[in-house]
Amino acid sequence: MTEVGHSPRKYKNNFNKQDQNVRLVPHMVSSESAKQSRTSGHSNYQTIEVFHLDKITKIVLKRPEKKNAFSVEMYKEVGSALDEAAQDDSVLTVITGHGDYFSSGNDLSNALRPIKESVEETTMELTGVVKILVCKVIDFPKPLVAMVNGPAIGIATTILGLFDLVYASEKATFNTPFSKLGQHPEGCSSYTFPKIMGLGKATEVLLFNKTLTAQEACSVGLVTEVFPDATFQQEVWSRLRNYATLPKTCLALSKELIRNVEKEKLHYVCEKEFELLAKRVNSEDAINAIKEFFQRKSKL
Ligand code: COA
């Protein structure tokens, strides 16, 4: 598989003016803060942006025209960015979305676009990139924080069960429309969701497509805390900046203690989920549901 984004890269030392997340946090673009961002390397990511500030690595999902849907390239790029964040001098890593969505989940056009010679190879490529990203999240050595700025769908919801903290705007919603798409839970949610929210709630969400509001997701334990949308960026960043002043190694070792007992199980669950997905990704109900999604506009 071709790994994207391994060429030498320069981290951006200025902030994209279109990035609301940054614009809303004036202190982050102060000259003091700017001095702390990295100035070496070159970022040639196409689907994400990576910022380094105040000992925090921030990965921004950036395909707003597709509601930050995970294309094959985005799966690979987020994986590469996590590899780099695991090695850099940041204390913690944050993933957030650009624009109004956190992410609309798997890019449904992935399944319709043959990227390999045969259907089998294409299936392996598609499920492979998703699985690799999930494994990287399971193994990520530093505190991993999701800043859920808006709706999260599919894998953008399921994978949150593997994060250490999930802070959400009150505008965020959480939905996994797998059965509507002839698909199945992934991101280890078949294990983490029942554990986090209990079997009944997990069944409503994972089997019956129930959408959770941010408050509901918080009350069932998927979300750590909900913030008013108007102050979401400021409040969360000020908290994260404080967290990032704590000793890096100490936090990483404590995370290891908390997480290590489950790691083997999570990798097993991940393997099983992708075995099923690989069998079912080209099923008639899945392909029909995806074709219907793309045809819906022409019917309007
Ligand atoms: N995969 C591929 N394309 C997607 C997408 C996804 N997951 N989510 C959004 N898009 C695209 C739309 O096709 C549209 O593209 P276009 O402008 O080229 O037509 C664009 O993003 C904007 O989406 P649109 O549907 O017009 O916006 P909306 O506000 O009406 O609805 C969503 C937004 C996210 C509710 C809707 O796009 C949706 O249901 N997406 C699918 C989500 C999904 O099922 N994800 C997989 C879970 S397993």
Side-chain angles (χ1 to χ4, degrees), residues 65-67 69 101 104 106-108 153-154 177-178 181 293-294 296-297:
E65 72 290 353
K66 298 288 177 193
K67 308 292 184 193
Y101 266 65
S104 61
N106 187 45
D107 188 316
L108 295 172
I153 303 180
F178 295 127
L181 293 166
F293 170 74
F294 286 109
R296 78 205 191 292
K297 277 195 173 161

Side-chain angles (χ1 to χ4, degrees), residues 68-181:
N68 300 327
F70 272 83
S71 59
V72 169
E73 191 171 43
M74 191 192 271
Y75 285 116
K76 291 178 179 177
E77 290 190 348
V78 174
S80 294
L82 285 176
D83 286 345
E84 290 178 351
Q87 300 295 326
D88 69 19
D89 60 3
S90 64
V91 173
L92 51 90
T93 297
V94 179
I95 299 186
T96 191
H98 178 87
D100 56 343
Y101 266 65
F102 178 62
S103 166
S104 61
N106 187 45
D107 188 316
L108 295 172
S109 68
N110 290 342
L112 301 178
R113 198 177 298 150
I115 47 179
K116 293 278 173 188
E117 297 273 304
S118 68
V119 174
E120 289 73 25
E121 279 181 299
T122 299
T123 302
M124 290 317 290
E125 167 81 2
L126 288 179
T127 55
V129 288
V130 189
K131 188 166 105 179
I132 288 168
L133 178 59
V134 174
C135 289
K136 286 180 195 288
V137 173
I138 294 171
D139 291 331
F140 193 69
K142 299 175 181 177
L144 186 58
V145 182
M147 273 183 76
V148 187
N149 52 300
I153 303 180
I155 191 159
T157 285
T158 57
I159 207 160
L160 298 175
L162 297 171
F163 277 60
D164 301 302
L165 291 171
V166 179
Y167 290 140
S169 152
E170 66 195 344
K171 282 193 173 169
T173 53
F174 301 85
N175 175 231
T176 55
F178 295 127
S179 50
K180 277 189 198 161
L181 293 166

Side-chain angles (χ1 to χ4, degrees), residues 4 14 43 61-62 67 78 105 116 124 141 197 229 243 253:
V4 176
N14 58 338
S43 171
L61 310 174
K62 203 167 178 200
K67 308 292 184 193
V78 174
K116 293 278 173 188
M124 290 317 290
M197 53 182 84
D229 192 61
Y243 292 167
L253 289 173

